[in-house]
Amino acid sequence: MVEKKELYMEYVWIAIIIAILASFAIVMVYISEAKGYDTPSSAVTCNVRSLREGEVLQPGVKEVAPGVYEVTLIARQWQWMPNKIVLENPNKIIFKISSEDVIHGFEIAGTPVNFMIFPGYIAEIEWIPPKTLEGTFTFLCNEYCGLGHDSMYGELVIVRG
Ligand code: CUA
């Protein structure tokens, strides 16, 4: 026969497990609602041919609000367009990047910016750089994309003042 005390401990552990699962659910709801993260089903797609013809993304830098920059890049074997970005006092940088051919990776060395670029999808990432961050940073492709992979890099210059 099961002792009363053992049964009591069963309920305690069931309560602990429910509390853990509930905290996971709360964290997921918080991340999706408060932080605005979405599942991959909300991905923005594009036609690779129209991307090549310049109809989808215009590579370059646009200041959409004071200190808020939209940086549009196109990745292709084996270069970034553009491969030099200069930003003055950026508070927020919105990267919009797609690939014309194969999978590439976009990484800004020395920063947390690091994401994959898939052909047919527009990767959109927001980055709030630290207020004191300035200087020249190398951005590079970190997914092997063919013979010229190692020549696929560029320069991000952050100017403060
Ligand atoms: Cu592009 Cu490696």
Side-chain angles (χ1 to χ4, degrees), residues 18 27 33 39 51-52 55 57 60 66 68 70 73 91 101-102 105-106 108 115 127 129 135 151:
I18 289 171
V27 166
E33 295 303 317
T39 56
L51 185 71
R52 284 200 191 113
E55 288 165 17
L57 294 177
V68 180
E70 198 177 276
L73 292 171
N91 299 324
D101 35 46
V102 300
F106 181 78
I108 304 174
F115 50 99
W127 180 42
S151 64

Side-chain angles (χ1 to χ4, degrees), residues 63-97:
E63 191 170 6
V64 290
V68 180
Y69 292 95
E70 198 177 276
V71 177
T72 306
L73 292 171
I74 292 179
R76 75 152 70 118
Q77 287 170 317
W78 291 283
Q79 56 175 305
W80 295 100
M81 288 180 305
N83 69 356
K84 184 162 183 173
I85 305 161
V86 180
L87 303 176
E88 267 177 52
N89 299 313
N91 299 324
K92 190 204 265 185
I93 307 171
I94 304 155
F95 290 102
K96 283 187 178 178
I97 313 184

Side-chain angles (χ1 to χ4, degrees), residues 104 141 143-145 149 152:
H104 299 276
C141 176
E143 290 289 334
Y144 183 72
C145 55
H149 163 71
M152 206 171 155

Side-chain angles (χ1 to χ4, degrees), residues 31-52:
I31 286 174
S32 69
E33 295 303 317
K35 298 275 182 180
Y37 292 150
D38 278 327
T39 56
S41 60
S42 67
V44 182
T45 56
C46 69
N47 181 308
V48 173
R49 182 173 295 156
S50 352
L51 185 71
R52 284 200 191 113

